[in-house]
Amino acid sequence: MAAFASCGRPSKPRLNVYNWSAYVAPDTISNFEAEFGATVRYALTKSNEEMLAKVITGNSGWDVVFPTYTRIKPMLAMACFSHSTTMASQSDNLDPRFRNPFGTRT
């Protein structure tokens, strides 16, 4: 009897996160997966240069990346980010300090 692998879409949605080490607690990913019924692909970067090399191609597969503040403006200029209507619609839930991250820092 032969077994066939499913080539269809995964049954759970997947969130692809590219972050720095020590940014989340050890149980954060598993708690998120349990709460939202999703699978998280979580990879770590060691440097801004490494992160930039992975996302600059435009179709890196990462849903969420965490560049340092000094890299955001150059990455915007290189069109490395896409606009998230979901995030924009949730901006009222953000602390006011984070609603305009490219404005004047106080």
Side-chain angles (χ1 to χ4, degrees):
M1 178 176 217
F4 295 96
S6 171
C7 294
R9 292 185 159 238
S11 59
K12 292 182 178 182
R14 184 170 84 173
L15 179 65
N16 301 299
V17 180
Y18 195 46
N19 201 356
W20 298 92
S21 64
Y23 266 44
V24 299
D27 61 348
T28 299
I29 301 301
S30 59
N31 290 343
F32 181 92
E33 290 175 327
E35 183 174 345
F36 295 102
T39 299
V40 176
R41 175 179 152 221
Y42 194 82
L44 301 175
T45 185
K46 295 177 184 169
S47 69
N48 276 309
E49 293 73 22
E50 177 186 55
M51 183 267 311
L52 186 57
K54 288 193 178 187
V55 300
I56 200 168
T57 62
N59 188 14
S60 66
W62 300 107
D63 299 309
V64 182
V65 297
F66 293 87
T68 58
Y69 185 82
T70 60
R71 297 291 191 227
I72 294 174
K73 283 186 180 182
M75 290 176 74
L76 280 169
M78 291 183 277
C80 292
F81 301 120
S82 65
H83 178 71
S84 170
T85 56
T86 302
M87 180 175 261
S89 69
Q90 296 296 319
S91 64
D92 289 344
N93 296 326
L94 289 174
D95 185 294
R97 296 174 298 163
F98 301 112
R99 291 184 191 162
N100 182 16
F102 310 111
T104 305
R105 296 181 81 185
T106 57

